[in-house]
Amino acid sequence: MKKKSVVLILLVQIILSCANNVDTRMNVYSLAVPKHYKYLDSNIKVSYEVLVLDVCNEDALLPNISELHIHNNKLYIRAEGGVYIFDDKGNYIDKLEQGRGPGEFLGASDILINEDEELEVLSRTDIYKFTLNGDFIDKVQLPKRLFVEFAKIGNKYLLSTPRITNKTTHFFYLFEPHTKEEIPIMQGVERPLSQFNFNLFADIEGFYCFTTPYSGTYYKLEDDFSVQKVFRFEPSISEEKLLEPIVEYDKMDNLSEHCYGMFYHCRNLKNKYFSLKVSYGNKAWDIIYDIRNGATFYNIFEGFPSAVFIGNDDEWLYYSISPVFIEKMAEKEFKNDVAKNLVKDLYKIIESDPQREGNPIIIKVKYE
């Protein structure tokens, strides 16, 4: 569940009215470039569980999984075909109705569970509210912009857009649905939509912070209500010459530096590791960064691109993989013993049913 902290309201107010109070001190984490990534070793304990989703009827069939939230032993899944509800054993419960009728939406770009325990779905320029059982409650009409991610902050929405134009000049907008007041946040830099990285919010050390596109800088609000740039990812200085800067991001956060890559899906794992996706050029890698010694590792999938990060809870990271890719995964020579065992378990699933073309398989991973 996305627990969007109310401290972001104060963060927004301070950014807008007290820009000079922003603390520019931050930790800088230097990442190795991909050619120098290490494989997981015995110093990092990794474990996993596999969850197979039921395919009891046509409505339960998911073409893919883009996002997952876990609440009260239920899985709320956003996929290309809509929004689905399963229990934590993988049994199908329901699918939200799609269409043009009352309480129906055409497509979902983001979902969250708010503090009132309601499921909210972002669809184009509207937000649809449902009970956790999938019953329609209400619709919120948004400004006519392209919004792809959202957070709930009290009774306001923090909305993000990748489309920067003469009229849409900022990456974030704070929107009050009753008064229709819209406050722009974080001036944007126009870039092709194909280069935009999503998942701009991150749960770091128990609080939520956010980053801007094309920037590895993350922000949080301190106890004294000052805004601090907490940390930033960048390639090792000795290896910068191996990379081409993709954009200067001083317009976004007043840092007169270059962004060499894009960093997203960032999760803090008990202050020992960061789990994140790193993108250089047209390639991306899921990595584990050891905060204690600065080492950069492939995650358990060792660069296999078809295992997709879809969410997390307090204990696990969640990935999905389509059954059609498992055979290719079995052909890869994994270095880590736990990874080898995971591949064997996945292969047993499709080996028991060679014609299986069912739902993506969910893989829960934990690093200690």
Side-chain angles (χ1 to χ4, degrees), residues 87-101:
D87 67 20
D88 59 357
K89 304 299 182 183
N91 298 308
Y92 173 76
I93 297 176
D94 202 1
K95 176 185 177 182
L96 302 188
E97 292 294 333
Q98 288 191 254
R100 298 182 181 273

Side-chain angles (χ1 to χ4, degrees), residues 191-215:
R191 298 288 293 175
L193 291 183
S194 61
Q195 296 183 12
F196 183 81
N197 63 295
F198 300 96
N199 200 274
L200 301 177
F201 298 98
D203 187 356
I204 306 297
E205 300 177 3
F207 59 85
Y208 268 86
C209 58
F210 66 91
T211 183
T212 56
Y214 321 112
S215 169

Side-chain angles (χ1 to χ4, degrees), residues 31-283:
L31 304 179
V33 295
K35 65 180 294 185
H36 294 154
Y37 288 167
K38 301 178 180 179
Y39 292 98
L40 292 171
D41 54 35
S42 59
N43 293 322
I44 300 179
K45 180 182 177 182
V46 56
S47 54
Y48 68 88
E49 293 181 7
V50 176
L51 176 62
V52 179
L53 298 178
D54 179 32
V55 185
C56 59
N57 57 51
E58 186 175 338
D59 287 340
L61 187 61
L62 285 67
N64 59 14
I65 298 178
S66 302
E67 185 178 2
L68 168 71
H69 295 272
I70 306 95
H71 186 74
N72 289 346
N73 301 321
K74 290 183 180 178
L75 309 179
Y76 297 88
I77 295 173
R78 178 174 64 86
E80 185 178 324
V83 178
Y84 303 77
I85 305 174
F86 288 77
D87 67 20
D88 59 357
K89 304 299 182 183
N91 298 308
Y92 173 76
I93 297 176
D94 202 1
K95 176 185 177 182
L96 302 188
E97 292 294 333
Q98 288 191 254
R100 298 182 181 273
E104 298 178 345
F105 54 89
L106 292 176
S109 60
D110 199 7
I111 61 175
L112 62 80
I113 298 175
N114 63 30
E115 293 180 352
D116 296 324
E117 295 196 329
E118 298 169 335
L119 174 63
E120 301 198 38
V121 178
L122 175 63
S123 178
R124 300 190 178 187
T125 57
D126 296 307
I127 292 174
Y128 294 78
K129 292 185 179 182
F130 299 87
T131 68
L132 294 183
N133 292 323
D135 299 319
F136 176 69
I137 299 174
D138 195 11
K139 182 175 77 169
V140 177
Q141 188 171 11
L142 300 176
K144 299 298 182 181
R145 303 180 190 275
L146 172 65
F147 294 116
V148 293
E149 289 185 276
F150 73 140
K152 190 68 176 292
I153 305 171
N155 63 344
K156 296 180 175 62
Y157 292 97
L158 186 62
L159 306 160
S160 72
T161 176
R163 181 168 290 165
I164 302 300
T165 65
N166 292 334
K167 294 182 179 180
T168 303
T169 57
H170 290 68
F171 283 122
F172 295 95
Y173 290 84
L174 190 65
F175 178 69
E176 211 293 326
H178 299 293
T179 65
K180 307 300 181 183
E181 181 183 12
E182 186 181 13
I183 302 173
I185 304 162
M186 288 289 186
Q187 185 175 352
V189 177
E190 185 174 359
R191 298 288 293 175
L193 291 183
S194 61
Q195 296 183 12
F196 183 81
N197 63 295
F198 300 96
N199 200 274
L200 301 177
F201 298 98
D203 187 356
I204 306 297
E205 300 177 3
F207 59 85
Y208 268 86
C209 58
F210 66 91
T211 183
T212 56
Y214 321 112
S215 169
T217 303
Y218 285 80
Y219 303 83
K220 79 164 185 176
L221 187 68
E222 292 286 65
D223 293 337
D224 62 357
F225 304 116
S226 63
V227 177
Q228 182 179 359
K229 295 171 181 177
V230 189
F231 63 88
R232 178 161 55 89
F233 294 114
E234 64 179 24
S236 172
I237 294 175
S238 64
E239 296 171 326
E240 283 184 3
K241 61 180 179 293
L242 301 177
L243 302 168
E244 289 292 331
I246 61 172
V247 67
E248 292 186 6
Y249 55 94
D250 57 312
K251 289 184 179 180
M252 288 176 283
D253 54 16
N254 296 319
L255 287 173
S256 57
E257 303 188 28
H258 294 86
C259 179
Y260 287 87
M262 294 188 287
F263 312 92
Y264 43 108
H265 293 316
C266 181
R267 299 294 185 268
N268 181 287
L269 309 181
K270 299 181 179 179
N271 297 323
K272 291 182 179 180
Y273 314 106
F274 284 120
S275 171
L276 68 151
K277 181 178 286 290
V278 180
S279 175
Y280 298 117
N282 60 355
K283 294 184 178 181

